[in-house]
Amino acid sequence: LVLDAGCGEGYYSGRISEEGYPVMGVDLSKFAVDAAAKAARAHRTESGRSSTTLYAVGSVFELPVADGTVDTVTNVFAPCAPAEYARVLKTGGHLIVVGAGECHLFGLKQVIYDDPYLNDPRRDLPAEGDGLRLLEIRNVTFAITVTDPDHREALFSMTPYYWRTSREGHSRLAAAEALTTEVSFDLHVYEKI
């Protein structure tokens, strides 16, 4: 069983389920959970396969899951709750935390901000005493170029920068012929001890 903590609209939950794993997605937003459940139902109808996904509204800090029942917890760009993840994981189970790398979307920040900055490391990762042992850290970084104005706007609108950017920054992005930016993810893999 894979628990997608902070599943949003179920993009990653759905991909994990397609690989044959039973998945439970939990998110605080009832609108996101509703969208995830509808997408899973549509995929089930299109594919003719039975569903291995279940979605629930809940907090990653108080998961609606019994102790020691989950094989893997995934946490992709969501708040990390190490103690709660350790509670629901089986001994030997894994936690996979994915977040923004140092240069994630730096090219976008160079366009929208007067003083672009690198991302700080996450402060909510498991620490000693959380019952989780770090196995591996990986970084995946590549560059993309987005030429379609609608795609640039879609990328921008799914970031927290969208709400913190001045009108001038919005205008600079809209006026750009293309956006080339780094995409950088840090992956931390832990094991419950």
Side-chain angles (χ1 to χ4, degrees):
L1 175 63
V2 177
L3 174 68
D4 188 7
C7 67
E9 295 178 357
Y11 179 83
Y12 299 108
S13 307
R15 298 314 164 279
I16 294 167
S17 176
E18 286 173 11
E19 294 298 319
Y21 298 98
V23 180
M24 177 180 187
V26 176
D27 199 276
L28 198 54
S29 168
K30 66 180 179 179
F31 302 107
V33 168
D34 186 52
K38 286 178 181 173
R41 187 174 24 247
H43 178 71
R44 184 175 58 246
T45 301
E46 290 171 16
S47 69
R49 293 189 217 155
S50 61
S51 178
T52 59
T53 56
L54 171 71
Y55 291 100
V57 175
S59 168
V60 298
F61 296 97
E62 294 181 43
L63 294 165
V65 178
D67 295 358
T69 56
V70 175
D71 297 292
T72 302
V73 173
T74 58
N75 176 267
V76 182
F77 281 89
C80 191
E84 186 65 354
Y85 301 156
R87 180 187 70 78
V88 302
L89 278 168
K90 296 176 182 176
T91 300
H94 293 95
L95 166 63
I96 303 168
V97 181
V98 181
E102 183 180 55
C103 63
H104 185 58
L105 300 180
F106 190 71
L108 171 64
K109 292 186 208 178
Q110 288 178 308
V111 174
I112 62 174
Y113 292 146
D114 293 329
D115 295 313
Y117 56 90
L118 295 174
N119 295 318
D120 292 329
R122 287 187 75 150
R123 295 187 184 122
D124 61 351
L125 293 172
E128 192 173 320
D130 284 332
L132 299 160
R133 178 173 60 99
L134 180 64
L135 296 178
E136 182 177 3
I137 300 173
R138 286 190 187 182
N139 175 270
V140 177
T141 300
F142 54 93
I144 60 171
T145 299
V146 184
T147 56
D148 184 297
D150 292 335
H151 293 169
R152 282 196 311 269
E153 184 66 18
L155 172 65
F156 185 33
S157 68
M158 65 180 265
T159 71
Y161 316 131
Y162 184 83
W163 307 105
R164 298 188 288 229
T165 299
S166 68
R167 285 191 182 136
E168 294 80 18
H170 279 264
S171 296
R172 284 194 298 266
L173 182 62
E177 288 185 31
L179 169 68
T180 298
T181 189
E182 299 81 3
V183 176
S184 180
F185 306 107
D186 288 337
L187 294 88
H188 293 79
V189 181
Y190 299 85
E191 179 181 36
K192 180 176 177 181
I193 51 177

